[in-house]
Amino acid sequence: DVKVTQSSRYLVKRTGEKVFLECVQDMDHENMFWYRQDPGLGLRLIYFSYDVKMKEKGDIPEGYSVSREKKERFSLILESASTNQTSMYLCASSRTTIGAGGYTFGSGTRLTVV
Amino acid sequence: AQSVTQLGSHVSVSEGALVLLRCNYSSSVPPYLFWYVQYPNQGLQLLLKYTSAATLVKGINGFEAEFKKSETSFHLTKPSAHMSDAAEYFCAVTPSSNTGKLIFGQGTTLQVKP
């Protein structure tokens, strides 16, 4: 069964901490994505990557960075966590051309910054 | 720019009643269209997809959707709602450039009353 695995389901961090959210996929997908999901705002794209060591800003990149050193792993980094980054974070992957595939999502990480 | 509009952020139906969740898209070329479902505290799961084959698409759990080009719609239906269908539903479309990035609607929360 193909999977996108997010390392933590629930995470509590303090304001100002550097936070790493990890995502690993086993489908050899080229594309990987990080979204945050907030009530009433739907899914908002933070960053995405089309290939190893490549990254593109999404709609809300401020306060975040990403790393993709290997094809299967895409990390989201909160450089200095703030309370307004409390949210559900979703990782997804897809083939280069969406075609019939769409995205495969991880189970999400619910991050609380206190 | 392409966009997706889901009419109604909350829909409530009685168990056994018809489910209708509305999705309209804007696209200059025939798109790929998707419906995803999200159960509480989980990631998004693909429900069904339209990829320019049959206009009536059948998905998992008894859901189906019909692509209507003249109305630029891709509404999701199920003849008889179950309590287990209570979840959030997202419609998504690929950009015309087929870069591998999906554009999501804001989501519709389906409540099923006993």
Side-chain angles (χ1 to χ4, degrees):
Chain A
D1 193 19
V2 294
K3 278 186 177 176
V4 175
T5 302
Q6 294 184 232
S7 53
S8 304
R9 290 298 303 275
Y10 299 93
L11 214 50
V12 179
K13 295 292 182 181
R14 294 194 181 279
T15 301
E17 275 192 78
K18 191 169 186 176
V19 180
F20 293 86
L21 302 184
E22 306 288 347
C23 176
V24 177
Q25 51 98 359
D26 65 0
M27 296 164 285
D28 200 36
H29 282 173
E30 294 83 7
N31 301 338
M32 296 189 75
F33 307 84
W34 275 107
Y35 287 86
R36 66 176 282 175
Q37 183 181 15
D38 301 287
L41 298 177
L43 275 70
R44 292 183 291 167
L45 182 62
I46 305 171
Y47 268 97
F48 58 103
S49 169
Y50 289 140
D51 201 351
V52 176
K53 296 192 184 295
M54 296 187 68
K55 59 186 179 183
E56 298 277 347
K57 291 181 180 179
D59 301 318
I60 52 163
E62 296 78 19
Y64 303 93
S65 62
V66 290
S67 171
R68 194 168 181 198
E69 297 295 319
K70 294 185 178 182
K71 189 175 185 179
E72 67 270 18
R73 186 181 295 271
F74 192 37
S75 302
L76 180 69
I77 303 158
L78 286 66
E79 298 290 344
S80 177
S82 64
T83 55
N84 62 13
Q85 293 178 308
T86 291
S87 185
M88 172 72 127
Y89 290 88
L90 293 167
C91 176
S93 70
S94 75
R95 291 278 176 216
T96 296
T97 50
I98 279 279
Y103 286 2
T104 301
F105 280 88
S107 297
T109 296
R110 188 166 293 282
L111 173 67
T112 302
V113 182
V114 297
Chain B
Q2 290 196 325
S3 65
V4 177
T5 302
Q6 292 183 238
L7 295 175
S9 58
H10 287 85
V11 170
S12 181
V13 301
S14 297
E15 193 174 18
L18 171 71
V19 175
L20 171 60
L21 304 182
R22 300 177 186 273
C23 173
N24 288 88
Y25 67 92
S26 66
S27 173
S28 57
V29 298
Y32 294 125
L33 291 156
F34 305 82
W35 274 101
Y36 286 86
V37 60
Q38 185 182 32
Y39 298 103
N41 293 312
Q42 294 188 25
L44 277 69
Q45 177 183 356
L46 183 65
L47 207 51
L48 50 79
K49 56 192 177 187
Y50 167 75
T51 58
S52 73
T55 56
L56 183 62
V57 181
K58 294 188 185 298
I60 62 173
N61 301 337
F63 283 92
E64 61 182 37
E66 186 173 6
F67 172 68
K68 291 187 176 180
K69 185 178 178 181
S70 60
E71 299 177 7
T72 61
S73 69
F74 190 57
H75 301 332
L76 182 70
T77 60
K78 182 174 180 177
S80 177
H82 287 205
M83 296 297 292
S84 60
D85 294 327
E88 189 162 17
Y89 293 81
F90 291 91
C91 182
V93 64
T94 53
S96 56
S97 60
N98 196 20
T99 57
K101 196 167 65 165
L102 286 177
I103 297 171
F104 287 88
Q106 292 298 95
T108 298
T109 299
L110 176 66
Q111 179 188 23
V112 182
K113 297 178 291 186

